[in-house]
Amino acid sequence: MGRYADTYADWVRDPHEFWADAARDIDWVTPASDTHGADGWFTGATCNTCWNALDRHVAAGRGDQNALIYDSAMLGKVKHFTYAQLLDKVATFAGVLQRHGIVKGDRVIVYMPMVPQAVVAMLACARLGAIHSVVFGGFAAKELATRIDDARPKLIVTASCGLEPGRTIAYKPLLDAAIDLSKSKPSACIVMQRAALEADMIEGRDFDWSMEMEKARAAGLKPACVPVAATDPLYVLYTSGTTGVPKGVVRDNGGHMVALKWSMQHVYGINPGEVFWAASDVGWVVGHSYIVYAPLLHGCTTVLFEGKPVGTPDAGTFWRVIADHGVKALFTAPTAFRAIKKEDPKAELVKDYDLSKFEMLFLAGERGDPDTIQWAERALGVPVIDHWWQTESGWPMASNPMGLEPLPVKYGSPGVPVPGFDIQVVDEAAKPVAAGVTGAIVVKLPLPPGCLPTLWENEAGFHASYLADYPGYYKTADAGFIDEDGYLYVMSRTDDIINVAGHRLSTGGMEEVLAGHPDVAECAVIGVADALKGQVPLGFLVINKGVNRPMADIEKEAVALVRDKIGPVAAFKIALVVQRLPKTRSGKILRGTMRKIADGEAWTTPATIDDPAILTEIGEVLTGAGLGKKG
Ligand code: COA
Ligand code: AMP
């Protein structure tokens, strides 16, 4: 057997011993009394995540090594932070939080662009045992308000603005609007002022980041790490569920550290001291796990990149960052590579850079399409690894385990189950299906360390969303199959989630927004194929009888409404007025058939359809809009 099979077999033989062994790589204040008890992983243990990410490395002599390299293609600026420097900033900001009354268990929302202060704020929360909840900057005020009401933060940390190509996004007015909308009000906001656009401050509520840091420094406030239970929450990260209400995925401290540290070595094949770059955003799970926590827990140098794969300034930016900082492995979403490929199809710009230290490219967030993977292999001459995971898992569930042993790549598959995950494909009765047969992808319980123990203050929702449908298993809501060699293939979602440029969005959430337009009687949102973003949302609107306005105006308003209520990240740009929506006789909207028509795939009229003529009408509207073909 190879090293992967051996390791997987070790885990199967004794999962407790396997994880107890991995836990030896973490510093504990008090060791666990039980590896996996009723309340989760490493019961009885106390620990601190910030200690393991920073203090322990400084204590072990890594203080002068770069912990974080901030590379802003937006500002044309690079800044290095050694472990000692990052620790100093984090401990000082923990002092700021403490002065504002933050203690263990309090929630702090971080609504920031890709600046080092976001990482400092996250780690400072961890230092105090406070629970951070980072909200992605591309979400609008209403989405932020929903999260504020659910997490009820005592304090919010933000920046005056974010920088997108060609425009500066004022964050502070969005935050002010969100606080106005929410029932729960934070007692203070700490605002990092950026030169591109300074924010107006509200007297008594808003505090300037730099001034607060100076005050904490002057007061000599640098709180030590507060021990927390391994099972205490480190953070809550909201992700799209099947409705407009996001789910607060909880991450614990102990299991999370053990899983992430283990993954750096065994999945990603990275050694302490090496440079790892996840080109994502701290607002997503990839950013939490592989920009912030995993590389630092492992003693690596992490790169925080503010920019885009193209246009900042060109499609060679990624290669420049890799060359300048000696990156060993890059992790991003396939959509970033599709964007680069579109701009520089022959990968000419690669030749301008020294990529000699670069060894691996990891892709996740959406299915790695074989074309993109093969293009990247040719362009870069390194292994390109598709791997599969979710906000809920926090780390890869299936991968090519590069650190254990590189397995042969099968295009279209994100690889094999990672030790810790017993992945099965089942039918509706929760019975495993044969190799090659498509079904629901589930993971046998218990989930390994690092995976969500619950949803924030919503244990019932956790059970209903993930555990109820397939007793004894965790439901991933992905569908696919496992082939005869044990490789997984993830083909689609089983719910209304779509994947837009690697971002997870609920079409149900968009429908809720569209239904709020006064002229809209009924609507349906589907995800249609897009060469760059993988999928983009498309909305169909049925207009109330008697509305006598140009339909094009209503379509424009619908697009603006989704941007305003959910945010630009939804990339909702197409709304089409139709006479009727196709439905089954029981009234279920036939979204799947509409998607096939829009994507130009072969489709058949469902036997249960109420009125087949409606599908023809839909096809005509799509053709009129330059989309779709009739199957
Ligand atoms: N704050 C405010 N607005 C933001 C934002 C932020 N942090 N991030 C994105 N937006 C806006 C963008 O400006 C864009 O607005 P527009 O409609 O006015 O153009 C919209 O949200 C959609 O953004 P994005 O998905 O980034 O699309 P894009 O067209 O700007 O760029 C890619 C396309 C492929 C280059 C881009 O999606 C990308 O780099 N993806 C990398 C993959 C990734 O980060 N995946 C995350 C999980 S690994
Ligand atoms: P998120 O929680 O935002 O990370 O989104 C998770 C979802 O993205 C998964 O449930 C899948 O639907 C999809 N996804 C992530 N990675 C992959 C992959 N490598 N292949 C196919 N789908 C993926």
Side-chain angles (χ1 to χ4, degrees):
M1 285 211 295
R3 200 162 161 229
Y4 162 69
D6 280 347
T7 309
Y8 198 88
D10 280 349
W11 167 70
V12 170
R13 201 173 307 117
D14 192 343
H16 285 261
E17 180 46 35
F18 186 89
W19 291 117
D21 192 39
R24 293 192 184 101
D25 282 346
I26 296 298
D27 278 358
W28 304 91
V29 181
T30 332
S33 49
D34 192 356
T35 314
H36 188 256
D39 58 348
W41 285 98
F42 307 106
T43 311
T46 57
C47 55
N48 184 281
T49 295
C50 182
W51 169 272
N52 277 281
L54 298 176
D55 303 59
R56 85 178 282 202
H57 299 309
V58 174
R62 227 177 248 291
D64 293 336
Q65 181 199 307
N66 283 324
L68 184 143
I69 301 173
Y70 168 53
D71 186 312
S72 175
M74 304 308 299
L75 296 171
K77 183 175 129 181
V78 175
K79 207 163 180 285
H80 296 77
F81 299 84
T82 65
Y83 269 95
Q85 288 165 338
L86 191 59
L87 172 57
D88 176 68
K89 291 211 179 306
V90 167
T92 307
F93 193 66
V96 172
L97 294 176
Q98 212 175 38
R99 276 170 54 95
H100 284 277
I102 297 298
V103 294
K104 183 163 132 180
D106 285 340
R107 274 82 58 211
V108 173
I109 280 190
V110 178
Y111 183 60
M112 292 183 107
M114 287 289 282
V115 289
Q117 286 81 351
V119 179
V120 169
M122 290 164 79
L123 291 165
C125 288
R127 191 168 191 84
L128 298 179
I131 302 164
H132 63 69
S133 187
V134 184
V135 178
F136 177 64
F139 282 120
K142 188 172 167 288
E143 289 287 322
L144 178 56
T146 313
R147 288 155 175 80
I148 294 175
D149 274 334
D150 197 68
R152 291 174 287 107
K154 203 184 245 181
L155 188 137
I156 299 183
V157 189
T158 192
S160 57
C161 65
L163 307 173
E164 285 290 295
R167 67 197 174 104
T168 303
I169 293 146
Y171 273 42
K172 187 54 180 15
L174 293 171
L175 175 62
D176 291 342
I179 295 175
D180 279 347
L181 283 171
S182 56
K183 288 189 221 60
S184 166
K185 310 284 180 194
S187 57
C189 297
I190 295 178
V191 184
M192 176 220 168
Q193 293 282 18
R194 304 189 81 185
L197 180 73
E198 296 224 342
D200 293 335
M201 305 287 266
I202 295 176
E203 185 68 34
R205 192 202 70 186
D206 297 342
F207 298 85
D208 179 89
W209 172 290
S210 307
M211 275 153 54
E212 292 300 293
M213 288 289 271
E214 271 169 37
K215 278 191 234 159
R217 245 182 238 293
L221 267 184
K222 270 197 192 180
C225 295
V226 174
V228 297
T231 50
D232 279 342
L234 168 70
Y235 70 74
V236 178
L237 176 59
Y238 289 89
T239 187
S240 297
T242 49
T243 64
V245 184
K247 300 182 197 174
V249 169
V250 171
R251 196 81 59 210
D252 66 9
N253 275 275
H256 177 242
M257 285 195 278
V258 172
L260 290 194
K261 175 118 177 65
W262 190 89
S263 75
M264 282 304 277
Q265 196 79 53
H266 300 93
V267 178
Y268 293 99
I270 302 290
N271 300 306
E274 293 178 331
V275 185
F276 189 81
W277 175 25
S280 176
D281 188 287
V282 287
W284 308 116
V285 67
V286 175
H288 280 65
S289 294
Y290 293 102
I291 296 175
V292 183
Y293 288 110
L296 297 179
L297 288 166
H298 201 46
C300 295
T301 301
T302 186
V303 179
L304 184 83
F305 173 71
E306 184 179 37
K308 301 264 171 179
V310 294
T312 61
D314 58 29
T317 301
F318 273 23
W319 325 140
R320 183 205 41 90
V321 173
I322 291 171
D324 283 358
H325 309 309
V327 170
K328 176 174 177 181
L330 165 65
F331 177 170
T332 190
T335 189
F337 268 74
R338 288 196 297 268
I340 295 169
K341 179 175 151 205
K342 197 170 153 210
E343 291 285 308
D344 181 17
K346 294 203 178 122
E348 311 270 13
L349 294 172
V350 174
K351 299 187 193 95
D352 297 346
Y353 300 94
D354 171 10
L355 303 189
S356 54
K357 291 215 172 113
F358 187 53
E359 291 184 17
M360 290 167 283
L361 170 65
F362 291 90
L363 300 174
E366 55 174 319
R367 183 166 180 266
D369 54 292
D371 274 359
T372 304
I373 293 190
Q374 285 163 357
W375 183 86
E377 282 174 342
R378 283 195 303 273
L380 297 167
V382 298
V384 179
I385 308 300
D386 181 13
H387 63 327
W388 171 70
W389 52 300
Q390 317 182 295
T391 305
E392 289 85 346
S393 70
W395 65 292
M397 298 188 280
S399 183
N400 194 327
M402 297 304 280
L404 288 170
E405 80 181 305
L407 297 176
V409 168
K410 290 204 189 190
Y411 296 109
S413 162
V416 295
V418 168
F421 294 93
D422 179 355
I423 300 173
Q424 301 194 12
V425 174
V426 297
D427 63 16
E428 281 173 8
K431 281 230 181 64
V433 298
V437 176
T438 298
I441 305 174
V442 296
V443 183
K444 196 152 184 286
L445 296 172
L447 293 172
C451 297
L452 82 170
T454 187
L455 291 177
W456 177 248
E457 294 186 334
N458 187 9
E459 184 67 14
F462 172 67
H463 276 268
S465 297
Y466 302 108
L467 309 182
D469 290 358
Y470 303 99
Y473 296 98
Y474 162 82
K475 177 175 91 173
T476 66
D478 280 324
F481 61 92
I482 297 176
D483 75 6
E484 285 180 345
D485 300 322
Y487 281 64
L488 178 72
Y489 290 76
V490 182
M491 306 311 288
S492 61
R493 289 283 299 195
T494 58
D495 55 14
D496 74 347
I497 301 284
I498 57 169
N499 223 303
V500 180
H503 310 319
R504 169 171 161 181
L505 296 160
S506 156
T507 53
M510 295 184 218
E511 289 177 2
E512 282 175 29
V513 170
L514 294 173
H517 188 289
D519 294 338
V520 170
E522 241 190 329
C523 63
V525 175
I526 57 171
V528 297
D530 181 81
L532 176 65
K533 299 197 175 191
Q535 275 183 307
V536 289
L538 183 156
F540 294 104
L541 313 172
V542 178
I543 303 305
N544 285 320
K545 283 217 172 64
V547 172
N548 200 6
R549 309 167 45 207
M551 293 299 140
D553 287 358
I554 300 178
E555 290 173 348
K556 273 197 210 113
E557 287 160 18
V559 168
L561 200 62
V562 174
R563 193 175 173 93
D564 183 48
K565 299 280 184 218
I566 297 179
V569 64
F572 184 83
K573 309 247 156 125
I574 323 162
L576 300 173
V577 170
V578 292
Q579 292 305 311
R580 305 175 291 175
L581 290 172
K583 291 183 191 166
T584 61
R585 280 188 285 274
S586 59
K588 223 168 154 254
I589 297 173
L590 292 162
R591 293 182 181 77
T593 312
M594 289 197 287
R595 185 197 59 74
K596 284 188 182 154
I597 298 174
D599 286 350
E601 283 176 22
W603 56 276
T604 49
T605 306
T608 55
I609 195 165
D610 188 28
D611 181 353
I614 303 178
L615 291 177
T616 314
E617 291 170 18
I618 295 285
E620 282 164 4
V621 171
L622 285 166
T623 312
L627 298 155
K629 282 183 234 124
K630 271 190 241 169

